[in-house]
Amino acid sequence: TQLLEQSPQFLSIQEGENLTVYCNSSSVFSSLQWYRQEPGEGPVLLVTVVTGGEVKKLKRLTFQFGDARKDSSLHITAAQPGDTGLYLCAGMNSGYSTLTFGKGTMLLVSP
Amino acid sequence: DAMVIQNPRYQVTQFGKPVTLSCSQTLNHNVMYWYQQKSSQAPKLLFHYYDKDFNNEADTPDNFQSRRPNTSFCFLDIRSPGLGDAAMYLCATSRGIHVGRRNNQPQHFGDGTRLSIL
């Protein structure tokens, strides 16, 4: 069974602070996705990283995929209250349509 | 807009009384998934359909069943809900990939049905 360890589980910060969320595994994934979920809604895809060493930017969010395709990070610069939500990393496996989810990071950004 | 729609958004049922949750999609995706999500936890995959092929996760209780009468619709049936089955149930869809191919297809989630058990 492939596992994704996500840390931290909870993060409470003030508006304007920076933060990093980590997603680690001992297994190789064909690609890795990050989702954000707001209360009462389904997860929404933020990004897919496919190539080892890849870096993708989405406004104030920076996503990295490890060289060995086993780990990933999400860095948020100058967090805003609108960034509050559950951040989920999910690994995808070659030849399969299913995702392996990390346990999620609940982020609370206070004004 | 193409999307994944779940009905109802909130469902209340009695302990032991069968309940059905529904999901429809306009994306024409061939894979549909059902997840169970408890408070502030990651979604847990219950099963998925790849076209008409049903794939059950090993630890999904027998109490949970699913039907997919056509490409657009998928149902989750809980035969005898217990208190521990109270959760958010999420439906998702994706394009299927060929065996052995690198998979980078995103999953598109509905907004879920929150199930309460009395």
Side-chain angles (χ1 to χ4, degrees), chain A residues 31 37 40 92 95-97 102, chain B residues 9 33 37 42 101 103 105 107:
Chain A
S31 61
Q37 185 178 20
M92 309 189 77
Y96 294 94
S97 297
Chain B
R9 290 295 309 273
Y33 311 79
Q37 186 178 31
R101 286 280 188 92
N103 183 2
Q105 294 296 323
Q107 291 191 9

Side-chain angles (χ1 to χ4, degrees), chain A residues 10 30-31 33 35 37 40-43 45 48 50-51 69 86 88 92-99 101-104 106, chain B residues 9 31 33 35 37 40-43 45 48 50 88 90 94 96-107 109-111:
Chain A
F10 301 97
S30 64
S31 61
Q33 298 180 338
Y35 291 81
Q37 185 178 20
E41 298 182 10
L45 180 70
T48 300
V50 178
T51 306
R69 305 209 317 272
L86 179 67
L88 296 158
M92 309 189 77
N93 311 301
S94 289
Y96 294 94
S97 297
T98 56
L99 291 171
F101 274 99
K103 289 190 174 180
M106 178 59 73
Chain B
R9 290 295 309 273
V31 191
Y33 311 79
Y35 290 88
Q37 186 178 31
S40 298
Q41 296 181 20
L45 182 65
H48 74 281
Y50 192 118
M88 172 78 87
L90 293 164
S94 75
I97 47 90
H98 295 295
V99 172
R101 286 280 188 92
R102 183 179 278 197
N103 183 2
N104 62 358
Q105 294 296 323
Q107 291 191 9
F109 286 84
D111 282 338

Side-chain angles (χ1 to χ4, degrees), chain B residues 56-109:
Chain B
N56 199 28
E57 293 301 298
D59 55 356
T60 298
D62 292 340
N63 201 22
F64 291 87
Q65 307 275 311
S66 186
R67 296 170 283 134
R68 189 178 186 187
N70 54 51
T71 300
S72 301
F73 286 88
C74 197
F75 300 98
L76 169 61
D77 301 308
I78 308 178
R79 291 193 296 189
S80 182
L83 296 178
D85 297 329
M88 172 78 87
Y89 290 88
L90 293 164
C91 172
T93 73
S94 75
R95 282 201 181 96
I97 47 90
H98 295 295
V99 172
R101 286 280 188 92
R102 183 179 278 197
N103 183 2
N104 62 358
Q105 294 296 323
Q107 291 191 9
H108 299 259
F109 286 84

Side-chain angles (χ1 to χ4, degrees), chain A residues 7 18 26-27 59 69 74 83-84 91 93-94 104 107-109:
Chain A
S7 62
N18 301 332
S26 57
S27 304
K59 297 183 181 177
R69 305 209 317 272
L74 157 61
D83 296 328
T84 292
N93 311 301
S94 289
L107 173 65
L108 174 63
V109 183

